[in-house]
Amino acid sequence: MKKSLLVAALALLSSPALAATPPEGVEFEPRRGFFTETDVGVFFTLGGENVYSNAQTYLQLGLGYDLTEKLSLGAHFGLGSSAQNCFAGYLPGTETCALSDNFTMAFLDVTAAYHVKVMDRLYLTPKAVAGYTRLDPAPVDPEAGDPGRAMSAPNAGLGFGIEYATGMDHFSVGADLLARYIIGPNITALSIFPKVKYTF
């Protein structure tokens, strides 16, 4: 009698347990919505008399929003510098740059990224950027004739990255390669950086 009651009780308890969805059967969905991003990497310019500049530290901060599972828009501020690359040409008969061959480049850009799923948690992220660049001091002939003056110019570029949604909720990590062309001074800037993304 006791054995029959025990079997009946176990049968009743097992029904709700079996009705619940097992955690292993739930497909992973990365968190989407408002996000912030912090990136630290390397930066250099191409072109000029020296062909390329020395690699320098690059810092980028951003915020944005995932419009859909695949498309996101963001705004990013980036800061790097071009070291030992002359864009103004050498003074006649010398190898001295006519203007500064060391200058800071500050970027304020709008970014559109597309998320291509490779596997669970892993995405490829091609992107396009556009905005303005502040160059200080001006690396090419400033119109005002003041060699210490800064200048601003539009920029546009393309990037490619990889992003992984970690097991820690809210956090994604990845890496990007971003190429920008500064229109006017005709300078190509490259930045390579790992990134940490927090989605609220």
Side-chain angles (χ1 to χ4, degrees):
M1 181 68 176
K2 288 183 179 179
K3 190 178 282 188
S4 300
L5 288 172
L6 181 61
V7 170
L10 289 173
L12 289 172
L13 287 173
S14 64
S15 298
L18 291 172
T21 305
E24 295 81 4
V26 178
E27 184 179 357
F28 173 76
E29 290 292 338
R31 187 177 287 269
R32 298 295 184 200
F34 179 72
F35 64 85
T36 60
E37 190 178 305
T38 303
D39 315 315
V40 179
V42 296
F43 177 90
F44 57 96
T45 58
L46 299 176
E49 298 290 343
N50 306 97
V51 184
Y52 57 88
S53 71
N54 296 333
Q56 300 292 302
T57 302
Y58 178 72
L59 171 66
Q60 180 172 276
L61 302 173
L63 53 85
Y65 191 82
D66 297 306
L67 299 177
T68 68
E69 184 183 346
K70 294 188 174 182
L71 182 64
S72 64
L73 290 179
H76 291 82
F77 171 77
L79 188 64
S81 60
S82 178
Q84 300 299 309
N85 196 6
C86 179
F87 289 91
Y90 292 140
L91 294 172
T94 73
E95 290 191 4
T96 301
C97 191
L99 294 173
S100 179
D101 56 359
N102 296 279
F103 52 93
T104 299
M105 303 178 74
F107 300 91
L108 184 58
D109 289 330
V110 174
T111 305
Y114 190 78
H115 300 263
V116 180
K117 186 174 181 179
V118 177
M119 61 180 69
D120 281 349
R121 300 180 183 271
L122 186 64
Y123 296 82
L124 300 179
T125 55
K127 58 193 61 180
V129 303
Y132 274 89
T133 310
R134 181 79 168 169
L135 304 98
D136 188 12
V140 296
D141 189 22
E143 292 178 7
D146 178 6
R149 181 176 76 91
M151 68 181 297
S152 297
N155 76 75
L158 296 172
F160 185 81
I162 188 167
E163 186 175 302
Y164 179 76
T166 70
M168 294 185 295
D169 195 19
H170 299 279
F171 283 96
S172 297
V173 296
D176 276 12
L177 168 64
L178 183 59
R180 296 184 184 96
Y181 185 75
I182 295 85
I183 303 163
N186 302 325
I187 297 172
T188 300
L190 288 180
S191 47
I192 305 168
F193 49 87
K195 66 180 181 180
V196 178
K197 177 181 174 183
Y198 183 88
T199 304
F200 290 88

